Amino acid sequence: MSRQFLFDGQPVPFEDGQTILQAAHAAGHYIPHLCWHPDFPPHGSCKLCIVKVGGRHVSSCALPAKEGMEVESNTPEINGERRALLQMLFVEGNHFCPSCEKSGNCQLQALAYDLEMLTPRFNHFFPDRPVDASHRDMLLDFNRCIFCELCVRASRDVDGKNVFALTGRGIHKHLAVNAESGRLADTDFAADDLAANICPVGVILHKRVGFAVTIGKRKYDAKPIHTVALEEGE
Amino acid sequence: MGRLDASQLAAQACTRNGGDATRLLQVLIDVQEKAGWLSAELISAVAAELGVPRVRVEGVAGFYSFLYTEPVGNYRVLFSDNITDRMLGAPELMDALCGKLWVERGKLSEDGLVSVDTTSCTGMCDQGPALLVNGRPLTRVDHRRVNQIAELIRRKEPLYAWPSELFRVDDNIRRRDALLGPDQRPGEALRAALTRGREDWLAQMRLSNLRGRGGAGFTTAVKWQACRDAAGADKVVVCNADEGEPGTFKDRVLLSSFADQVFEGMTLAAWAVGAQRGFLYLRGEYRYLLDHLQHVLARRRSAGLLGNAILGETGFDFDIDIHLGAGAYVCGEETALLESLEGKRGTPRIRPPFPVTHGYLGRPTVVNNVETLAKTTLIALHGGEAFAATGTAQSTGTKLLSISGDCAYPGIYEYPFGVSIEHVLEDCGASDVQAVQVGGASGMTLASYEFHRRIAFEDVPTAGAFMIFDSSRDMFEVARNFVHFFAHESCGFCTPCRVGTSLLDNYMNKLASGYGAKMDLADIEWINRLLRQSSHCGLGSSAPNAVVDALVKFRPAFERHLRNLDFEPAFDLNAALAGARTAAGRDDPGAFLDREQETTR
């Protein structure tokens, strides 16, 4: 007999080793997330996937499901907290959607729409983060980084290249590339690396592909992210 | 430095560390001690030497406050920025030193000689204001000493030639009880435990009900048992001497004058769990204790208290390595500490799994506080029951308090658990007390109506900090100091802590500059809630404690900073003109906008 837990009052079956998020997604319940990716172990940094279990907040991407758990996720309280976390991500960087090539394909933007984030609420930090356009095929716009480390993990664990890592600490944390010059051109990064195609926001962009799909017809334009993610298993 | 020199330096440092990439942080500290700072060439050379990606080395170098990736001066002066140092006049003294040396705070002097800046609490609160010069603590700073320091720096006097009196650090032990009282002979406790046999030793630990002195209060015997039962042969014992909690300095005193008990406690833990490897993770601020500690370790090795077949017991092999930290409070969190021990950035891990099953390099690992380990020697000597006879039922034994702030006799006080706040205040000669901060920046702020409460895990838990504020102090400024501390020390891993602590810092600064509004208090409370509920580790979830307490107990201190409006923009035209004033070299009244005029216009 398969075991189950309650997700927003509905029974969700799970297998040994599955996290709350994995089991919920498999059963057709979306939990917002940014740093989690189905092909990688949980990271747990964005905190968008917080849920309440027995009155306590936990990261659903990392916590193994247990028999009889009562999980609250899609509630005004938790969605309010998720919205605030999104607002934090927006104000710490420089996110100007109208001029961003990733607009419409961006998970951060899509989640902000989905969770009805109408204002940034907090004061912007306006950090100074110069772009790196040195590479022949790829552009790095650090202004949009949300520190999910998907590029770091993809480059290290899949591409076997270690092109990226984080340096600095706290609010000064930032993405660095594997070159003494600090320039992407001086690394072995290539446009067909997984790391070049995994950024959930608009940091790692392919050059010369601007507006290949018109705005209005992009990934999250027609359907909200909670539908797209479940359809595509993301 | 040329590339050749860089390669040589890196090669030597890596050799000294056995070419072991898990010692990356130790290698970087070593290289920097020779080169002054970590240039791009040095980082490349270390990476090449250890065979790790360069960007990983850059990531580690960028994480720790005491590793420099920009050029620094021959003299690096860092004033301790804890609230107790500030109350003793640290900010004025720093300004005075900057003035005498013609440097701007945080900037290298034009001749490359000196820089002056602040750093998080250096653990000298009982003899502050304190500073670090090239990593060495200098205590009891006053204007006379500022003049002396400025003169020594101007004369380019090497640090070893500075008067040793400047670097004197006192223990200031004011009250002794079970641990600090009687003398222990090295090996005595270990012998007693070996005589009991391993099973009985663990049974005594259980009977003692000893709980972790680092603040969380987890039962030590349960931790040891779990590690002992965990699968895997190469178990590890780690002593957490990353005493970074502002206002705490008990471990400094234990390591200075009771190092044998600490190492003996580690060996007792190793005997209980079956570990062969031990690490003491020493915070960078206590680097000055390293030689002394190495000396004690060497003495214990030659006495047969470390190494192979300890005290003749076949199969009891255990030795201890000391690893240095480099200015990162978060490494006091046990999983961040383990990451740092492995030579990585000090980012707390996802738990579970817990260190007792998956710790250092994935091995079963016990991480205990310095004081906890020292206390185990008492249990070995006198038995668990005798230990549990003092203190309270839930909090057995004694606790070391690090007392600082507004009192006549700051220092270390050892009390049985259950002592009341008012009792402690009387002993240390504090009067007219408005508040006590127990447990450091992440602890509790107690107002005078709570001084009947007791130091114990079941009432007021603490890692040992006890900072006293008399009625002349502004509790808003106290909370602001702690908020600033957390913003500086957040590792930046999770969204709520990385952004939330900085947002809080900004709100508190807005209030401090007189532009606060009621709406800001509401925002502060909202961020506090997010930090508490969604942070990845204890740093983030305890970061708002001081603000939450102060808002509840000392609200008028906040409201004094409000302009009594619903909303007030953070933008301050006067502040925005600061750059222009600096450029024009003006700080006379005429260079400032008249605020009254501005608001009535």
Side-chain angles (χ1 to χ4, degrees):
Chain A
M1 202 181 87
S2 111
R3 297 178 301 158
Q4 60 182 38
F5 62 90
L6 283 179
F7 184 87
D8 286 335
Q10 299 193 44
V12 164
F14 70 95
E15 290 157 22
D16 271 339
Q18 265 188 325
T19 61
I20 296 172
L21 188 148
Q22 284 172 322
H25 279 201
H29 302 282
Y30 176 70
I31 301 178
H33 59 83
L34 286 168
C35 69
W36 182 80
H37 188 286
D39 299 338
F40 288 89
H43 187 58
S45 71
C46 74
K47 299 297 169 196
L48 263 292
C49 75
I50 48 167
V51 295
K52 246 165 116 173
V53 177
R56 286 192 55 202
H57 286 67
V58 298
S59 299
S60 64
C61 70
L63 195 74
K66 279 205 193 82
E67 175 77 44
M69 264 180 173
E70 290 184 34
V71 179
E72 293 171 54
S73 175
N74 193 12
T75 66
E77 180 198 354
I78 295 168
N79 283 335
E81 288 162 0
R82 290 174 180 148
R83 201 178 303 125
L85 292 169
L86 286 171
Q87 287 167 323
M88 287 182 173
L89 288 170
F90 271 94
V91 300
E92 76 163 328
N94 297 307
H95 297 272
F96 194 64
C97 299
S99 72
C100 180
E101 160 59 21
K102 204 64 181 276
S103 184
N105 293 324
C106 168
Q107 290 188 24
L108 180 69
Q109 182 195 42
L111 265 183
Y113 279 126
D114 209 16
L115 289 166
E116 297 174 328
M117 188 192 116
L118 301 178
T119 72
R121 173 165 185 152
F122 307 116
N123 282 327
H124 284 271
F125 287 71
F126 297 121
D128 184 14
R129 299 182 189 163
V131 301
D132 180 348
S134 62
H135 195 275
R136 207 174 65 93
D137 302 320
M138 303 299 301
L139 171 76
L140 297 180
D141 189 337
F142 299 109
N143 290 294
R144 303 156 182 167
C145 186
I146 56 167
F147 312 105
C148 66
E149 294 188 57
L150 276 168
C151 59
V152 177
R153 294 180 274 161
S155 184
R156 181 188 64 208
D157 302 338
V158 180
D159 304 329
K161 287 186 175 180
N162 289 292
V163 171
F164 300 104
L166 292 175
T167 187
R169 186 174 82 198
I171 199 70
H172 305 294
K173 187 169 82 163
H174 60 276
L175 197 60
V177 301
N178 194 25
E180 190 177 298
S181 64
R183 287 158 28 105
L184 188 65
D186 297 328
T187 68
D188 52 355
F189 196 47
D192 57 356
D193 285 355
L194 180 60
N197 299 286
I198 202 166
C199 183
V201 293
V203 178
I204 305 176
L205 298 170
H206 290 258
K207 287 184 173 175
R208 300 177 291 278
V209 289
F211 297 95
V213 178
T214 53
I215 286 180
K217 297 199 166 162
R218 296 183 174 195
K219 191 167 177 182
Y220 304 114
D221 284 345
K223 294 182 199 166
I225 189 168
H226 69 259
T227 309
V228 178
L230 289 176
E231 283 172 3
E232 306 201 2
E234 289 173 349
Chain B
M1 179 187 308
R3 195 167 289 274
L4 199 65
D5 296 338
S7 301
Q8 254 174 17
L9 264 184
Q12 287 160 2
C14 291
T15 307
R16 275 191 293 272
N17 285 282
D20 181 356
T22 66
R23 296 186 59 95
L24 173 59
L25 175 58
Q26 307 308 306
V27 170
L28 290 174
I29 293 170
D30 188 334
V31 169
Q32 185 176 275
E33 280 184 4
K34 308 288 181 300
W37 66 288
L38 300 169
S39 63
E41 291 89 5
L42 269 173
I43 288 178
S44 298
V46 167
E49 199 65 40
L50 291 177
V52 297
R54 184 192 188 280
V55 74
R56 203 192 126 196
V57 181
E58 188 180 342
V60 173
F63 186 83
Y64 296 91
S65 291
F66 294 162
L67 295 179
Y68 307 107
T69 52
E70 300 283 333
V72 292
N74 300 340
Y75 297 93
R76 297 174 302 286
V77 179
L78 293 171
F79 277 82
S80 177
D81 197 37
N82 188 30
I83 186 69
T84 54
D85 294 282
R86 295 181 71 89
M87 283 165 19
L88 291 165
E92 295 76 23
L93 291 162
M94 184 170 76
D95 286 346
L97 184 65
C98 286
K100 285 185 195 307
L101 292 168
W102 284 86
V103 290
E104 231 180 293
R105 185 200 145 173
K107 288 193 180 153
L108 181 58
S109 63
E110 287 190 11
D111 56 1
L113 181 67
V114 58
S115 60
V116 179
D117 208 340
T118 57
T119 187
S120 298
C121 181
T122 58
M124 299 286 163
C125 322
D126 54 334
Q127 45 209 303
L131 56 80
L132 297 172
V133 52
N134 294 4
R136 280 185 74 181
L138 199 155
T139 55
R140 288 172 287 264
V141 180
D142 54 14
H143 281 284
R144 198 176 52 81
R145 287 199 161 185
V146 161
N147 290 341
Q148 200 180 354
I149 295 165
E151 187 55 29
L152 288 162
I153 291 175
R154 271 198 301 256
R155 288 208 317 257
K156 302 186 183 168
E157 202 73 53
L159 220 53
Y160 63 79
W162 289 27
S164 59
E165 171 59 22
L166 289 175
F167 301 109
R168 200 187 85 214
V169 177
D170 294 331
D171 278 355
N172 290 328
I173 299 175
R174 311 279 188 184
R175 189 182 192 282
R176 293 172 191 268
D177 207 299
L179 181 67
L180 304 181
D183 276 342
Q184 261 185 49
R185 283 191 309 279
E188 198 181 354
L190 202 50
R191 240 173 234 112
L194 287 175
T195 310
R196 287 182 196 281
R198 187 173 282 166
E199 288 311 318
D200 188 37
W201 166 226
L202 262 169
Q204 296 302 321
M205 280 295 294
R206 274 192 295 274
L207 273 177
S208 74
N209 200 22
L210 173 69
R211 293 170 68 177
R213 264 41 175 178
F218 193 79
T219 308
T220 308
V222 172
K223 198 185 262 188
W224 286 12
Q225 187 73 50
C227 180
R228 193 193 166 180
D229 295 344
D234 31 7
K235 291 172 184 167
V236 181
V237 170
V238 176
C239 174
N240 182 347
D242 193 47
E243 184 177 50
E245 190 64 53
T248 316
F249 47 88
K250 66 181 176 67
D251 295 346
R252 181 198 87 212
V253 174
L254 287 174
L255 294 167
S256 304
S257 302
F258 299 84
D260 265 301
Q261 276 96 317
V262 177
F263 291 136
E264 191 132 340
M266 291 179 72
T267 318
L268 285 166
W271 167 243
V273 306
Q276 302 196 335
R277 258 194 111 171
F279 292 101
L280 182 123
Y281 186 90
L282 185 67
R283 73 184 301 224
E285 288 82 348
Y286 295 168
R287 163 76 179 77
Y288 76 103
L289 291 172
L290 182 62
D291 288 346
H292 156 69
L293 293 170
Q294 296 286 20
H295 174 77
V296 175
L297 283 179
R299 180 164 50 65
R300 292 182 69 85
R301 277 184 203 113
S302 51
L305 300 173
L306 283 174
N308 289 336
I310 291 172
L311 288 175
E313 182 82 13
T314 316
F316 183 16
D317 308 334
F318 179 67
D319 211 331
I320 298 169
D321 242 352
I322 301 177
H323 271 229
L324 283 170
Y329 166 75
V330 70
C331 291
E333 198 278 341
E334 62 176 2
T335 60
L337 186 151
L338 292 171
E339 290 283 298
S340 185
L341 267 184
E342 294 179 9
K344 301 179 190 159
R345 295 163 60 80
T347 304
R349 295 176 180 169
I350 292 173
R351 297 184 300 177
F354 291 94
V356 285
T357 56
H358 296 77
Y360 174 74
L361 298 178
R363 305 171 189 170
T365 304
V366 159
V367 184
N368 281 139
N369 177 264
V370 171
E371 185 184 348
T372 313
L373 288 163
K375 290 274 159 68
T376 64
T377 61
L378 300 177
I379 300 163
L381 283 172
H382 312 298
E385 232 168 278
F387 185 88
T390 51
T392 71
Q394 289 176 63
S395 312
T396 54
T398 61
K399 181 78 195 87
L400 302 192
L401 298 181
S402 317
I403 299 186
S404 63
D406 296 315
C407 66
Y409 312 108
I412 297 293
Y413 292 69
E414 182 181 14
Y415 285 105
F417 267 116
V419 67
S420 70
I421 306 290
E422 51 204 0
H423 185 119
V424 176
L425 289 173
E426 202 178 307
D427 284 359
C428 67
S431 55
D432 192 22
V433 179
Q434 176 183 197
V436 178
Q437 181 74 19
V438 184
S442 68
M444 294 165 92
T445 315
L446 299 178
S448 54
Y449 57 81
E450 298 171 284
F451 291 170
H452 63 282
R453 294 182 64 179
R454 293 172 187 282
I455 301 287
F457 293 110
E458 62 271 27
D459 190 359
V460 182
T462 175
F466 193 101
M467 293 182 271
I468 303 166
F469 306 99
D470 71 19
S471 62
S472 72
R473 306 298 179 183
D474 180 352
M475 293 309 291
F476 168 80
E477 282 301 327
V478 174
R480 184 159 84 107
N481 176 255
F482 293 152
V483 163
H484 178 73
F485 166 79
F486 284 112
H488 177 67
E489 294 295 346
S490 168
C491 81
F493 176 73
C494 71
T495 309
C497 182
R498 181 181 67 246
V499 188
T501 53
S502 279
L503 282 172
L504 268 190
D505 198 23
N506 293 347
Y507 278 112
M508 294 296 272
N509 292 339
K510 183 185 175 194
L511 260 63
S513 60
Y515 283 81
K518 275 186 183 154
M519 194 174 150
D520 296 322
L521 296 189
D523 277 359
I524 287 173
E525 280 167 348
W526 174 227
I527 294 165
N528 285 344
R529 184 191 151 109
L530 289 163
L531 273 165
R532 279 201 169 167
Q533 304 198 322
S534 58
S535 292
H536 179 64
C537 80
L539 189 156
S541 58
S542 61
N545 287 356
V547 187
V548 171
D549 276 353
L551 270 173
V552 171
K553 298 171 189 174
F554 300 96
R555 202 170 179 96
F558 280 73
E559 288 176 342
R560 271 198 291 278
H561 291 277
L562 302 185
R563 294 188 90 179
N564 229 1
L565 303 162
D566 283 337
F567 173 75
E568 181 69 27
F571 180 73
D572 172 359
L573 187 52
N574 243 327
L577 291 170
R581 279 192 297 271
T582 311
R586 299 250 322 252
D587 64 350
D588 56 291
F592 291 85
L593 294 170
D594 182 341
R595 201 149 126 204
E596 288 309 310
Q597 240 180 30
E598 187 201 330
T599 43
T600 50
R601 210 169 30 231

